[in-house]
Amino acid sequence: MKDDDPIRPGEASVSLPGHGDEMVYFIGYIRTPWPTRESCPRTGDPSGPECRIEVDPRWSAALQGLSEHERLQILYWMHLSRRDLVLQTPRHSGRTTGTFALRSPVRPNPVASSVVDLVAVAGTTVTVRGLDCMDGTPLIDIKPAAAG
């Protein structure tokens, strides 16, 4: 989706700043069975399909000890989402709501987080269940999920 895509009735957009404040390093890419936003589940399902997280080899040492954790928090960049909407009208509700009151991928900084079940770590590939993003989504970070 691009910033110039049509918006739904009730939605509103703003002009984006001319530059970002910091830089994010994509540390890999996520491989899922979903080629489009429309085909993605709305939330991850631990009984869903296995997905692969392909970590750039320069970060391979950072995976040491990861297999000791059953659940992981995956942070990723929703690279195809528009970023300028302040009011949105989700299809599922039809009610106009502020962006910060929604779990929509349309955000000023399209960062997403999923807590997933770890299946395996092999080399620089981390296999998990419970993701809800498109195939080819850039990876920002991997962390052990908080206990509880």
Side-chain angles (χ1 to χ4, degrees):
M1 193 172 264
K2 303 275 190 239
D3 293 347
D4 59 352
D5 285 343
I7 60 177
R8 298 181 192 122
E11 293 185 332
S13 64
V14 297
S15 296
L16 294 172
H19 63 86
D21 295 317
E22 286 294 329
M23 183 178 1
V24 172
Y25 296 108
F26 295 148
I27 62 169
Y29 292 88
I30 300 172
R31 299 294 170 203
T32 72
W34 305 292
T36 64
R37 178 178 165 194
E38 293 74 28
S39 63
C40 290
R42 286 187 58 207
T43 59
D45 180 356
S47 65
E50 288 186 359
C51 298
R52 290 185 337 272
I53 298 171
E54 297 173 349
V55 177
D56 183 296
R58 80 182 77 216
W59 303 107
S60 63
L63 296 171
Q64 184 175 340
L66 189 67
S67 61
E68 298 171 18
H69 301 277
E70 293 180 15
R71 297 185 47 82
L72 305 173
Q73 180 181 20
I74 309 301
L75 298 168
Y76 47 97
W77 188 264
M78 296 175 288
H79 61 298
L80 298 179
S81 293
R82 68 182 299 150
R83 301 176 70 176
D84 63 337
L85 293 184
V86 291
L87 294 176
Q88 299 182 46
T89 308
R91 285 189 184 98
H92 71 277
S93 73
R95 193 178 91 214
T96 300
T97 306
T99 291
F100 299 143
L102 296 169
R103 290 188 44 82
S104 165
V106 178
R107 324 199 63 73
N109 293 301
V111 175
S113 172
S114 289
V115 175
V116 299
D117 291 339
L118 176 62
V119 175
V121 179
T124 57
T125 300
V126 180
T127 305
V128 300
R129 288 186 187 272
L131 280 171
D132 59 355
C133 62
M134 290 174 38
D135 186 50
T137 297
L139 175 67
I140 297 174
D141 206 348
I142 301 172
K143 301 177 180 188

